Amino acid sequence: MKDVNAHRKRRAGSRARLLLGAACTVAIAVSSVAVATFAHADLTGPPGATLKAAAERSGRYFGAAMGGDRLSDQGFLTIANREFDMMTAVNEMKPDATEPNQGQFDFRAGDAIYNWATQHGMRVRGHTLAWHGQQPRFWGSLSSSSLRAAMIEHINGVMTHYKGKLAYWDVVNEAFAENGGRRSSNLQSTGNDWIEAAFRAARAADPSVKLCYNDYNIENWTYAKTQGVYNMIRDFKSRGVPVDCVGLQTHFTGGSSLPGNFQQTLSSFADLGVDVALTEADVTNASTTQYAGLTQACMNVPRCVGITTWGVRDSDSWRGSENPLLFDRNSNPKAAYTSVLNALNAASTSVPGTSTPPSTPPSTPPVTGQPGGCTATYRLVNPWSGGFQGEVTVANNGSTALSGWTVLLTLGGGQSIANVWNGVNTGTSGTVSVRNATYNGSVGANASTTFGFLANGSADTAPGAISCTSP
Ligand code: G3I
């Protein structure tokens, strides 16, 4: 396979200098559009006439990336508005853009893209929080321990600004080397647990957004790098490190670069209990077979939630000379567009939780208990056939801070916990105990925290006998 990263190497000399305006703290409010939700999947409905309509048939999205300069490009905006329902900022939410100087955040460029996208009914993927590229200059002069702290502060600052607004965040980008080990970088030199620390900080900063690990050259199941990332995600899931999704960038170079085992890679990650997404797709000369193949692979994996192309027209692409996108320089759809549209419309699987129309909401009055210092309140977040997502709020109604908490809840027959975040569970069925994670045991007076979980079984019976204790 041709090394797609030759592009990256050619650009190595021009490391990001995306300094956005004055180095002053600027926090322009993002518009108050809530994270949009989409119509439920209907695989039997008529074919979609646009990429987004075709993707939404199966509960998926079809996204694009845009730079801030495209906000005044009417040709771009017209296609983006018509065809896409998810948007990623090409550079504007990266660390050098959002925190040009330590503690001085600048969200103007990111907010401009966010506001345009959400005002046009799109959701937004955040890209990215921790990466060896496009770092703020000041990261380069910090000691390891200061850099670790700066990374966490960066995550807190940016995620707090966008709290509750984004659908996904690429928390960590491109942290693996081709040999399957970690890429050497200043972040890696802060300790092998830096990725885990980033995800834990991210969950605490915004529990509502899905947290992704994103990388390139992890599409071929037999590559060492793919296996390296897979093993990390498996380890994270087994230890309760909060990771919700894996982004496969999907930069293909034509020829045989679409691996025959791409679907196996997607389903193998999905089997670990994460969503997968194709996050930066582009293909040399927009090969129709490659585009159809990558789309089909996603459509065949229920937890493949969507596809994003890295730009809209060839003139928007970082690989522009290879004409790798779905629209030409005159804004016309190319043959690859049709091959993708057809593959989206031919989807035979839908994203879990989107295929059943909202059943009568199960009656789930909040169940509360207060035997000692804290109260725990359960709420059903999202039910689907055979499973559900729940959330428990641990509230401290007292006048002194909690220094740890434990919640007991009793699951109904047939219910079992599959995954817990922002807490550590003991047991998965019957009476389950969930204690605080290392980072959210301290709950101030009149404050609260939450943990979430995914469970198998019907949501019709709310977990009962819920209680909270604090030492
Ligand atoms: O804005 C400056 C401009 O003022 C200056 O004149 C010009 C001179 O080089 O540089 C401009 O900044 C460039 C920036 O893009 C905006 O165009 C940077 O040099 C250039 O390095 C930067 O490239 C970006 C690249 O990431 C950096 O790593 C690309 O636009 C962006 O598409 C690309 O995106 C990455 C993903 O984040 C991660 N996966 C790979 C993908 C493609 O490389």
Side-chain angles (χ1 to χ4, degrees):
M1 173 178 143
K2 181 178 156 192
D3 179 8
V4 69
N5 299 301
H7 299 274
R8 196 173 276 106
K9 288 167 192 158
R10 281 201 290 278
R11 287 171 182 250
S14 61
R15 197 170 91 67
R17 290 185 195 89
L18 194 63
L19 297 177
L20 296 171
C24 56
T25 302
V26 179
I28 297 174
V30 293
S31 67
S32 59
V33 179
V35 171
T37 51
F38 288 93
H40 282 260
D42 180 6
L43 293 176
T44 63
T50 60
L51 296 170
K52 66 182 176 189
E56 287 171 16
R57 289 178 82 249
S58 61
R60 296 182 170 90
Y61 65 80
F62 207 93
M66 75 184 287
D69 52 358
R70 298 303 186 266
L71 287 167
S72 55
D73 181 333
Q74 206 50 54
F76 179 98
L77 297 177
T78 299
I79 307 176
N81 188 27
R82 187 183 70 224
E83 300 284 343
F84 299 92
D85 56 12
M86 182 73 80
M87 194 51 74
T88 307
V90 172
N91 290 306
E92 289 75 3
M93 293 190 188
K94 289 173 176 174
D96 62 344
T98 50
E99 194 183 0
N101 289 295
Q102 189 151 23
Q104 296 181 329
F105 292 90
D106 185 342
F107 297 113
R108 287 174 295 181
D111 287 356
I113 290 176
Y114 173 88
N115 287 337
W116 183 84
T118 54
Q119 283 157 8
H120 291 82
M122 301 172 200
R123 293 184 294 166
V124 175
R125 292 191 88 255
H127 175 81
T128 177
L129 294 164
W131 184 26
H132 68 274
Q134 292 177 277
Q135 297 185 347
R137 273 183 205 280
F138 73 87
W139 281 17
S141 55
L142 298 176
S143 67
S144 280
S145 59
S146 298
L147 176 60
R148 172 69 70 92
M151 177 191 79
I152 302 289
E153 283 161 13
H154 179 77
I155 290 170
N156 283 336
V158 178
M159 290 190 74
T160 298
H161 179 74
Y162 288 110
K163 187 170 184 175
K165 311 260 183 214
L166 304 186
Y168 301 89
W169 256 116
D170 289 336
V171 177
V172 172
N173 191 42
E174 302 177 0
F176 275 74
E178 298 304 304
N179 69 5
R182 294 290 182 83
R183 173 196 291 273
S184 71
S185 72
N186 57 349
L187 290 168
Q188 181 64 26
S189 74
T190 71
N192 206 49
D193 62 342
W194 74 273
I195 300 180
E196 159 173 0
F199 277 92
R200 291 191 192 282
R203 180 73 90 211
D206 184 357
S208 74
V209 62
K210 290 202 173 186
L211 307 177
C212 307
Y213 176 79
N214 192 54
D215 215 329
Y216 62 89
N217 281 356
I218 57 168
E219 294 80 16
N220 189 325
W221 179 240
T222 63
Y223 273 16
K225 185 173 178 179
T226 309
Q227 292 301 310
V229 173
Y230 177 83
N231 288 332
M232 178 186 74
I233 301 296
R234 185 172 57 182
D235 170 54
F236 280 11
K237 295 303 282 187
S238 75
R239 292 190 295 111
V241 178
V243 59
D244 306 309
C245 39
V246 173
L248 299 94
Q249 293 184 8
T250 319
H251 296 296
F252 288 151
T253 51
S256 59
S257 68
L258 167 64
N261 57 27
F262 188 33
Q263 185 178 319
Q264 180 186 3
T265 304
L266 295 175
S267 59
S268 298
F269 275 116
D271 287 347
L272 294 177
V274 289
D275 290 346
V276 289
L278 316 191
T279 51
E280 302 182 14
D282 47 22
V283 180
T284 306
N285 294 325
S287 150
T288 53
T289 42
Q290 301 255 317
Y291 261 119
L294 69 87
T295 307
Q296 280 157 6
C298 180
M299 295 306 107
N300 288 342
V301 175
R303 286 195 78 159
C304 186
V305 293
I307 300 174
T308 292
T309 55
W310 204 243
V312 169
R313 305 156 304 183
D314 291 331
S315 47
D316 304 315
S317 174
W318 67 301
R319 302 168 59 193
S321 63
E322 298 176 63
N323 299 321
L325 293 176
L326 300 178
F327 292 84
D328 68 20
R329 283 154 210 278
N330 297 318
S331 299
N332 296 315
K334 296 157 65 172
Y337 170 91
T338 310
S339 72
V340 168
L341 190 68
N342 290 341
L344 293 171
N345 277 320
S348 59
T349 77
S350 51
V351 174
T354 65
S355 58
T356 7
S359 50
T360 347
S363 90
T364 53
V367 189
T368 304
Q370 182 175 16
C374 50
T375 57
T377 305
Y378 165 79
R379 112 183 146 85
L380 177 64
V381 176
N382 186 22
W384 56 87
S385 174
F388 60 99
Q389 178 182 349
E391 182 183 81
V392 173
T393 299
V394 176
N396 176 9
N397 301 319
S399 55
T400 55
L402 304 178
S403 58
W405 45 263
T406 300
V407 169
L408 294 180
L409 67 166
T410 302
L411 298 180
Q415 293 178 336
S416 64
I417 285 190
N419 183 27
V420 175
W421 57 91
N422 292 343
V424 179
N425 63 308
T426 302
T428 55
S429 59
T431 297
V432 175
S433 147
V434 180
R435 66 181 159 75
N436 58 275
T438 51
Y439 51 86
N440 66 353
S442 173
V443 181
N446 295 315
S448 64
T449 188
T450 62
F451 70 84
F453 63 88
L454 295 181
N456 302 313
S458 164
D460 289 349
T461 309
I466 185 163
S467 64
C468 180
T469 53
S470 179

